[in-house]
Amino acid sequence: MNINFIHNQSAHCESGVASNLLAHHGLKLSEAMIFGIGSGLFFGHIPFLKVNGIPGTTYRILPGMIFKRTCKRLGIQMKRQTFRNEAKAMDELDKVLEKGMPVGLLTSVYYLPYLPSALRFHFNAHNIVVYGKSNGNYLVSDPVMETVSEISSKDLQRARFAKGALAPNGKMYYPIHVPQNIDLRKPIIDGIIKTSSDMTTIPVPLFGVKGERFLAKKIRQYPKNLDKRKAALYLGNIVRMQEEIGTGGAGFRFIFAAFLQEASVILNQEWLMEVSKEVTQTGDCWRNFAYNAARICKDRAITGENYDKLADIIMDCAFREEQIFNKLKKITL
């Protein structure tokens, strides 16, 4: 059983799987276009939501929302299923594959043995596509890998039913109706306005640019309120979420910038090209933060590198992004 599925590597699993699945059904959209229409860019720092005792930070919206919003805005109908019974979940996967349909799966990164060991950690929201079986193994298109992979039925079952936060519960999904010749202009506008709203208008000061300023304030207080080891742990987790989970803070901004470039052409609005450059610069700003923070975490800081400087960098990111999204939210056709 081998479906003629074209694998394309991408930066982020959810937008990459969405782009590859829709392309199989004749709707060719770039990963950046999926990410932008799905309003994937976000920021949140939630100190009371802790994992292993460390406050949570996110640079994207909730897992699954990019695909869900994209499908809704493009009029795509999806079949989504979760399971309690593991054997039934694997049987249902086989049935859909036998119909010649590639299937998107939610999995745990930790139980995917084809991934390099350095990338395997307990994260239960990784998206892949299974597009067939060969000699008892499932054929996998994992968008973060350069080429396709294979995985045993036992390993795939474990990955689909990993326990813990965001447990996938065997989730599988695939398109059942994909419109052709879609007018992208309104979905693009809706995606830009929603992202701009999420980044500038949520009243709770934990999210968007308010959340970035809140994080800057917390980081400035780390040396006063935490011992050296704990301060480094908190800071290290912010960098880890930025640089290792998905594409992180800077990476997501580079994808959004690419989306604005495509949108500029489709909407015939040249000014979006200039905003795209500004978004790329904020990505560079976040990467500068990560570079300096990593040196402090490793106790290799040079003169001038300290928690106050890190807070200043994030305040600069917040200022830049507030300007950007206040401009973008006024966009019209």
Side-chain angles (χ1 to χ4, degrees), residues 248-267:
F252 284 133
R253 277 147 183 84
F254 297 145
I255 296 175
F256 191 75
F259 159 67
L260 291 179
Q261 289 182 18
E262 290 191 51
S264 172
V265 176
I266 294 171
L267 300 176

Side-chain angles (χ1 to χ4, degrees), residues 93-110:
L93 172 62
D94 288 346
K95 288 178 183 176
V96 179
L97 290 173
E98 286 169 1
K99 295 177 183 176
M101 304 274 281
V103 182
L105 297 178
L106 200 63
T107 59
S108 165
V109 171
Y110 188 79

